[in-house]
Amino acid sequence: MAITTRVRTHTTIDRIRATPDHGIFNPRAGQTGELTHAEIETIGAASLAITASLNMEQVLATVAEKVVDLIRATACLVYLLDRNSGVLQVAGGHRIPDTYKGMTLPLGEDVAGHAARTGRAFVVDNYSAWEERTHIFDNADQAGVLPTANCAAAIPLTFNRQVLGVLEVLYIDGREISNKDVALLQLITPHAATAIAHAQLFERSQQVMNLLEIINDRGAAVSSVSTAVINAGHDLKKMSDETLTRTVAALRLAAGRIFLSDHDGEALVTRSLYNLPADDPGLSHVAAHCASVRQTVLLQNMTAFAWSHDVVQWLSERRLGALVAVPLIAEDEVVGVLEAIAPLGRTFDTGELDTLHIITGQLALGVSNARLFTRVRAEQQQISAILSSSGDVIIGLDANGRVQVANPAAEHALDFAIIEAVGKPLAEVTLNVALNAAVDNSIKTQQTQPAGFEVQLANDTYLFCNLSPIVDPTGRLTGWVAVMQDITRLKETERMKSDMILTASHDLRNPVNLTMGALDLLSKRADNLTALQKEALDLSLLGVHRIEALIKDLLDLERIERRVGLRLSRCDLTEIAQTVVTELVLTAQQRQQQLVYDHAGVRLYVRGDAQRLYQVVSNLVSNAIKYTQPNGVVTVTIRASDEQVRLEVCDTGPGISPEAQARIFERFYRAPSVAADDRGTGLGLAIVKSVVEQHGGRVWVTSAIGQGSTFVVSLPSWPEALSTNPDDTIPMIIRPVTAQ
Ligand code: ADP
């Protein structure tokens, strides 16, 4: 039994005739009717064929072919709508010229544009005469499928109520499409639209997959290069070779090369090559240019570049395509260049360029680290050679006073083995009291000023130790270096010199006193003397007084240095300073100066000899007054800081040059700028230094020419634990110290 399926044809067709009749009439135009079983079967088969594939190109080709077969059309075009730009683009077709592919048509234009905009089938009879027909295809096809068509019909391809594109059929053989044919097409287009939607979805998921694959590949390339850089350690050749091999493999390059800068950073030297001779006919110029502009240089089409004919031939013989040169930049310095060359016909995409940038970044860092390491190692070797050959005792300490380095002279002098000493606090390495105390003090006070002191060894050898802080570029204190020189012979000479001075001073004291007494007597009975004789007498008296003061200071210094009569007890430094200020305030006033005493209002105690400490403060304040011009200000400040009491004498005087500052505490040293009138014995500061050091303290000066000077004395404070009872303080009867 034959089954007849009857389907009503659609009536939603916009149909126009391009030119008014002229007697021509399309007999099939209005033809409608019911579909036969055979027709439905054909549609079913066509639909099955159309939806059988997920490949867009194939889907479109099948759709067009089946449509042409179904209604015996001359040709069929399939447009897809680009939602972003709103234009229709020819994506496929059957019996259309290849040149149509990719051509675009704005929405609303021509048959297809009209159908896409209205969402309804649109038929134009006598199309070639239609005034609104598009002319975009006129030049694309000399034979002229579309321009010569006598009937064009377009059916929108709708999926999920959205127009995906348009199916357009053409007749050029005089036939025209019937409404029934359009209805047939309308039955097939939903299947075509579904197949296209699925193919689009598939295409997108394919793209995502590809992207993921690429990302994965590039991630693997980057991590493989990272591993190579790390594994190469400080071997630059290995690092460069491995990086190139892995980059070539990961990016499927045809050739590649890595240049690294030479030691001066002046020239690029080839380090690694892949599939390139060392002397290519000019590709290295690209690397040189890349290094000089410090930017990536990309030549996607090498043969289009202004090479000579020979180079172009050379490139094509080796089947070399796009070239990219990427600079290796570390710490703002170009350390090399990586050149990557793709096979002929391939260009570099942005993903590959990004990968290359990451790889070169890693390599640059690796190269710069390796070079830094080599430099540091060379410097270390140099330093250790200097340390070993030096006769001076040298010990390097970290910020906690732990031994970092020491030379053989140090091992010998302080009797330790460096292998056991490294990492230990100095106090555990040597029992030398002076050295340990100085280091201990520097750590506690985080001393950033160098300190100089004597160190006596068990065998009566004397060393002069210079303990200098090590400060990093950020200003952080990272440790100290102690350099000690043998001054035993110097000390011996010093001792002999001072013995001689002592003897001479002693011997001179009596005759000078006698002369002074005689001159004093004379000056009291000077009535009969002429003015000239009186002047000569005054000058002689002044000279003898100077000699007397000098002898006094010299003997004094000797007594201090030999610690003769040094009596240490709890002294109130605030009271000593107060006494000095009270005594000298008049002198300051006479010089129209202001003498200010700035104390914290609490008593600050030190362990010391009150007479000697008085001498220290008095010398410093007298100097400040003496060297500061009238109307200046002298300020005496006392403060407690970190188990130390700090006395500062600050003036607004002429200041002291850096050269003079370095020598100012030497005996008899006077700054060249000081006026002759102001001269004292030149021993004041030497006495100050000697007394302060006998008390375990330090004295230094900070000054700049024209900006005044500040003398600082830092003394260990009286330990609270020993006594807090003020009655323990020795009552102070301070008198000027005289030589005995
Ligand atoms: P003097 O007996 O010459 O004062 P000192 O040992 O007390 O000897 O000082 C040494 C030198 O230091 C002085 O000659 C002077 O050049 C310089 N000096 C000391 N104190 C000051 C100061 N407050 N301002 C400028 N120069 C100073």
Side-chain angles (χ1 to χ4, degrees):
M1 187 176 77
I3 301 166
T4 311
T5 310
R6 288 164 192 273
V7 178
R8 279 258 142 244
T9 54
H10 290 240
T11 49
T12 51
I13 305 168
D14 295 333
R15 183 156 201 145
I16 60 163
R17 184 158 192 86
T19 49
D21 285 342
H22 296 302
I24 308 158
F25 175 67
N26 174 10
R28 295 181 72 225
Q31 203 181 79
T32 56
E34 288 169 349
L35 300 182
T36 65
H37 179 71
E39 280 168 334
I40 288 172
E41 269 190 352
T42 317
I43 290 170
S47 304
L48 269 182
I50 289 167
T51 47
S53 170
L54 279 174
N55 177 291
M56 180 64 93
E57 212 174 310
Q58 207 173 328
V59 167
L60 296 178
T62 317
V63 166
E65 189 192 329
K66 293 293 171 196
V67 163
V68 166
D69 287 353
L70 188 67
I71 57 166
R72 291 177 305 283
T74 310
C76 172
L77 282 109
V78 189
Y79 290 91
L80 289 183
L81 178 67
D82 181 344
R83 228 161 263 292
N84 296 328
S85 58
V87 295
L88 289 167
Q89 187 172 40
V90 180
H94 190 59
R95 297 206 197 128
I96 57 160
D98 279 349
T99 40
Y100 280 15
K101 288 253 179 77
M103 298 195 73
T104 56
L105 187 71
L107 264 192
E109 265 192 34
D110 208 66
V111 206
H114 185 88
R117 196 169 58 188
T118 60
R120 290 150 60 107
F122 184 46
V123 181
V124 178
D125 292 324
N126 202 8
Y127 172 79
S128 54
W130 188 34
E131 277 175 5
E132 287 176 39
R133 85 169 173 85
T134 182
H135 291 281
I136 58 168
F137 295 98
D138 292 4
N139 294 332
D141 163 32
Q142 295 305 317
V145 175
L146 215 121
T148 56
N150 55 293
C151 178
I155 324 288
L157 292 160
T158 314
F159 180 78
N160 260 356
R161 295 208 195 129
Q162 279 191 338
V163 175
L164 299 184
V166 176
L167 199 74
E168 186 174 326
V169 285
L170 306 159
Y171 288 95
I172 59 168
D173 52 5
R175 284 184 300 128
E176 286 180 343
I177 194 167
S178 70
N179 280 355
K180 188 182 170 193
D181 289 338
V182 176
L184 278 175
L185 291 180
Q186 281 173 326
L187 282 178
I188 209 166
T189 44
H191 298 284
T194 309
I196 289 170
H198 286 171
Q200 276 177 340
L201 208 64
F202 183 68
E203 241 175 22
R204 272 203 292 277
S205 64
Q206 267 317 88
Q207 277 166 1
V208 172
M209 292 288 285
N210 285 346
L211 204 67
L212 286 177
E213 218 164 89
I214 289 169
I215 291 171
N216 199 22
D217 274 2
R218 291 180 185 160
V222 168
S223 76
S224 135
V225 169
S226 289
T227 321
V229 169
I230 293 167
N231 287 350
H234 308 292
D235 183 344
L236 276 184
K237 176 79 183 134
K238 190 169 165 202
M239 189 184 293
S240 147
D241 284 352
E242 284 286 310
T243 301
L244 186 62
T245 315
R246 291 174 192 220
T247 309
V248 163
L251 299 183
R252 292 183 295 281
L253 300 175
R257 170 171 24 204
I258 290 176
F259 298 89
L260 294 183
S261 57
D262 64 2
H263 283 298
D264 316 329
E266 293 290 316
L268 288 176
V269 180
T270 301
R271 274 291 182 151
S272 311
L273 278 167
Y274 174 76
N275 206 15
L276 279 181
D279 55 345
D280 66 64
L283 301 193
S284 39
H285 294 323
V286 182
H289 177 67
C290 162
S292 77
V293 296
R294 304 163 66 91
Q295 270 174 10
T296 299
V297 176
L298 176 61
L299 306 178
Q300 290 285 40
N301 183 0
M302 279 240 272
T303 46
F305 193 62
W307 305 104
S308 70
H309 175 70
D310 291 349
V311 180
V312 174
Q313 199 182 340
W314 188 91
L315 289 169
S316 53
E317 269 168 18
R318 280 167 183 75
R319 307 205 50 75
L320 299 181
L323 177 147
V324 60
V326 190
L328 307 176
I329 299 180
E331 310 228 334
D332 214 29
E333 228 183 273
V334 178
V335 295
V337 172
L338 182 145
E339 265 185 0
I341 304 176
L344 193 64
R346 216 185 83 195
T347 53
F348 286 104
D349 63 25
T350 41
E352 284 169 322
L353 294 177
D354 287 346
T355 310
L356 277 174
H357 284 136
I358 299 174
I359 288 175
T360 46
Q362 287 174 336
L363 179 60
L365 205 67
V367 169
S368 140
N369 281 348
R371 289 197 166 156
L372 193 71
F373 175 82
T374 316
R375 210 171 58 221
V376 169
R377 199 169 51 185
E379 275 170 14
Q380 264 175 358
Q381 280 165 350
Q382 231 171 28
I383 290 171
S384 79
I386 294 170
L387 286 183
S388 312
S389 61
S390 169
D392 291 348
V393 171
I394 303 171
I395 303 175
L397 303 169
D398 69 7
N400 299 314
R402 291 176 197 279
V403 175
Q404 298 294 297
V405 282
N407 65 349
E411 288 181 292
H412 178 71
L414 297 167
D415 194 22
F416 65 85
I418 181 67
I419 300 187
E420 289 161 21
V422 168
K424 285 189 187 158
L426 187 66
E428 284 179 27
V429 174
T430 170
L431 294 176
N432 194 286
V433 181
L435 185 58
N436 287 338
V439 169
D440 199 42
N441 183 41
S442 290
I443 296 170
K444 275 194 193 136
T445 57
Q446 287 293 288
Q447 195 50 254
T448 50
Q449 300 285 328
F453 52 92
E454 276 179 22
V455 171
Q456 188 180 1
L457 301 181
N459 57 359
D460 266 348
T461 305
Y462 287 87
L463 303 177
F464 184 80
C465 176
N466 224 312
L467 188 63
S468 304
I470 307 168
V471 179
D472 73 9
T474 64
R476 202 169 53 97
L477 186 68
T478 59
W480 289 270
V481 58
V483 179
M484 294 171 245
Q485 279 161 337
D486 190 339
I487 51 161
T488 317
R489 290 190 62 183
L490 206 75
K491 287 262 315 171
E492 182 59 17
T493 328
E494 275 282 300
R495 200 188 54 74
M496 281 162 62
K497 204 171 79 186
S498 80
D499 279 355
M500 211 178 78
I501 292 172
L502 204 62
T503 319
S505 305
H506 261 294
D507 291 353
L508 274 174
R509 209 166 54 160
N510 283 341
V512 166
N513 280 345
L514 272 176
T515 315
M516 209 159 59
L519 287 174
D520 262 345
L521 197 70
L522 265 181
S523 70
K524 281 179 193 138
R525 299 186 185 166
D527 306 344
N528 301 332
L529 299 181
T530 63
L532 198 66
Q533 286 167 333
K534 214 171 154 6
E535 195 183 336
L537 187 62
D538 285 347
L539 274 177
S540 312
L541 252 177
L542 194 69
V544 176
H545 273 293
R546 274 214 177 130
I547 296 171
E548 194 250 349
L550 184 64
I551 291 172
K552 181 188 84 70
D553 276 358
L554 270 174
L555 291 174
D556 211 14
L557 194 56
E558 288 306 320
R559 283 169 57 80
I560 293 165
E561 286 185 352
R562 288 167 194 239
R563 298 179 72 94
V564 177
L566 195 72
R567 289 185 305 138
L568 299 182
S569 59
R570 192 167 90 140
C571 300
D572 179 354
L573 198 63
T574 41
E575 195 181 336
I576 295 174
Q578 179 69 66
T579 310
V580 172
V581 169
T582 312
E583 281 174 8
L584 291 174
V585 80
L586 206 66
T587 320
Q589 273 169 10
Q590 279 163 359
R591 291 177 61 86
Q592 287 103 52
Q593 290 167 349
Q594 222 184 314
L595 178 58
V596 183
Y597 180 35
D598 171 11
H599 55 93
V602 285
R603 289 172 179 274
L604 297 171
Y605 298 101
V606 295
R607 180 184 168 80
D609 183 317
Q611 301 297 340
R612 291 294 182 204
L613 292 178
Y614 164 85
Q615 207 177 353
V616 166
V617 185
S618 175
N619 272 353
L620 292 178
V621 181
S622 312
N623 273 355
I625 294 171
K626 186 163 66 172
Y627 294 114
T628 300
Q629 56 278 41
N631 297 323
V633 182
V634 174
T635 313
V636 180
T637 314
I638 300 199
R639 292 280 184 276
S641 79
D642 292 332
E643 297 176 27
Q644 299 276 311
V645 177
R646 211 172 142 116
L647 173 115
E648 291 186 10
V649 180
C650 171
D651 64 49
T652 54
I656 306 162
S657 70
E659 304 78 58
Q661 282 176 42
R663 302 195 49 200
I664 207 160
F665 294 100
E666 286 174 18
R667 291 175 184 198
F668 303 116
Y669 178 81
R670 290 192 188 97
S673 56
V674 171
D677 300 0
D678 291 336
R679 284 190 178 172
T681 60
L683 288 172
L685 288 181
I687 291 175
V688 166
K689 184 166 188 275
S690 200
V691 172
V692 170
E693 284 175 358
Q694 298 288 358
H695 282 75
R698 291 197 322 119
V699 57
W700 68 92
V701 62
T702 50
S703 178
I705 291 290
Q707 290 177 21
S709 313
T710 301
F711 284 83
V712 186
V713 171
S714 176
L715 292 164
S717 55
W718 178 265
E720 281 293 308
L722 283 189
S723 166
T724 47
N725 183 358
D727 295 340
D728 292 347
T729 315
I730 299 243
M732 249 185 295
I733 314 142
I734 300 167
R735 56 196 162 73
V737 182
T738 47
Q740 282 150 35

